[in-house]
Amino acid sequence: MTQINFSRSVRPTLHMPSNQQRGMAMSHGVRIYLGLIVLIALSVLFLLGVVHTAAGAPRSGPRAVAEGHRLAEAWCQTCHAVDAHTTGFFDEAPSFQAIADRSGTTALSLKVFWRTSHRNMPNLVISPQQADALSAYILSLRDK
């Protein structure tokens, strides 16, 4: 049974039997421990999202690569060779294989490229998902 003692002290004190105090202390410690685990897990997930976004990493996987290949054939093959180890119709436009094999080609550099106007290219207006798919396809050609 819990008793509150108001005698001789400025603050009321709570007197509990020792087994109740231990149970509350463990419960409090467990709550703190679980709270810290949740906080760490959320922080890791947040940081992974930030790093993934900052790196400009496109969605990848077979579906994104296939979609990027389909878009490249529809929009780009007039000037570029879009398949691995083929040549384009015009020598001025590099093949997608050559673009993929450049040392500076990254997901971020391709993301910037899709958003920038270029003198010798049509002004591309594509969605972020389409840009990610094209980037995934180009990066899939690396070292083929």
Side-chain angles (χ1 to χ4, degrees), residues 43-58 107-108 111:
S43 298
V44 167
L45 288 174
F46 175 75
L47 289 175
L48 286 175
V50 168
V51 168
H52 182 76
T53 303
L108 181 59
K111 183 177 272 195

Side-chain angles (χ1 to χ4, degrees), residues 16 18-36:
M16 287 188 216
S18 62
N19 60 350
Q20 285 180 347
Q21 287 176 342
R22 265 186 255 135
M24 286 184 65
M26 285 190 341
S27 172
H28 181 70
V30 169
R31 283 184 285 178
I32 289 175
Y33 180 73
L34 290 176
L36 286 173

Side-chain angles (χ1 to χ4, degrees), residues 111-122:
K111 183 177 272 195
V112 170
F113 179 83
W114 302 127
R115 298 285 177 220
T116 308
S117 297
H118 295 86
R119 185 176 46 124
N120 296 331
M121 279 186 58

Side-chain angles (χ1 to χ4, degrees), residues 3 33 39 45 52-53 65 73-74 92 98 107 114 137-138 140:
Q3 297 175 354
Y33 180 73
L39 181 64
L45 288 174
H52 182 76
T53 303
V65 171
E73 285 181 331
E92 292 101 32
W114 302 127
Y137 173 66
I138 290 172
S140 76

